[in-house]
Amino acid sequence: MRFVSLSLVAAAVALAALPAQSQDMPKRKAGLWEIKATPGQGVPPMVMQQCTDEAFEAQMQKTAMEQSKTMCSKNDIKRSGNTITSDAVCKIGSTTVTSQSMTTGDFSSAYKVEVKSTFNPPLMGKTSDHTVMEARYLGPCAAGQKAGAMSMPNMPIPPAAKTK
């Protein structure tokens, strides 16, 4: 579980950098998405589902832009059609995370993010990480599911995530 957490931290840093410099970055289609994060080194994938809507996507991009400004000294993003590449240098505590990511897909039905990161000094005992996140659109959110709510298979939606 420790390596899954590290992989997700590295991926989150790389993803946080994506929308920070451009208003034309894609937003996911409103509804329920399944996201499978596969860290390297034989660790099993972690699968989760997240409900989203236009307001939630806008808030995520705003938050990512703010985090990128405070955490990252470099954030080079290029978009060509359905491919977004990013080179970022960000700080997590005292560790410098240097990452390269490539995101492909249409954000209406599916997308894939591949993140390669190095950590200096090592983070949680690791000097590098390679994470692949694959997402696919499942359809409308579940009845009563609030935008932003995440769930993992066989885990109920927390009461705070349900609408009244």
Side-chain angles (χ1 to χ4, degrees), residues 5-164:
S5 308
L6 176 60
S7 297
L8 292 179
V9 166
V13 167
L15 292 175
L18 282 179
Q21 292 183 348
S22 176
Q23 297 296 356
D24 69 344
M25 288 294 138
K27 293 180 183 151
R28 292 180 296 176
K29 179 178 180 178
L32 188 62
W33 285 83
E34 178 181 81
I35 304 159
K36 180 172 91 171
T38 306
Q41 302 174 350
V43 178
M46 184 168 80
V47 179
M48 63 195 97
Q49 293 181 352
Q50 184 177 43
C51 175
T52 191
D53 64 12
E54 191 173 320
F56 179 74
E57 290 295 304
Q59 182 60 45
M60 279 186 56
Q61 285 201 0
K62 179 182 174 194
T63 300
M65 183 166 36
E66 291 167 358
Q67 287 178 344
S68 177
K69 285 180 182 177
T70 61
M71 293 174 64
C72 303
S73 60
K74 176 183 178 183
N75 186 13
D76 295 335
I77 300 168
K78 294 179 180 132
R79 182 175 182 183
S80 177
N82 285 345
T83 301
I84 302 165
T85 56
S86 172
D87 289 304
V89 178
C90 305
K91 292 285 270 186
I92 298 178
S94 62
T95 298
T96 299
V97 180
T98 303
S99 64
Q100 296 80 38
S101 68
M102 181 168 49
T103 303
T104 55
D106 63 12
F107 290 84
S108 293
S109 61
Y111 64 93
K112 179 180 178 180
V113 182
E114 187 170 353
V115 183
K116 295 178 182 178
S117 302
T118 58
F119 311 106
N120 187 18
L123 184 63
M124 297 159 102
K126 289 185 78 175
T127 58
S128 64
D129 193 59
H130 179 206
T131 299
V132 176
M133 292 175 28
E134 296 174 282
R136 65 185 179 104
Y137 181 74
L138 299 178
C141 295
Q145 192 175 20
K146 185 177 174 183
M150 293 184 82
S151 62
M152 294 178 73
N154 303 320
M155 291 182 68
I157 299 169
K162 293 183 180 179
T163 58
K164 295 181 181 180

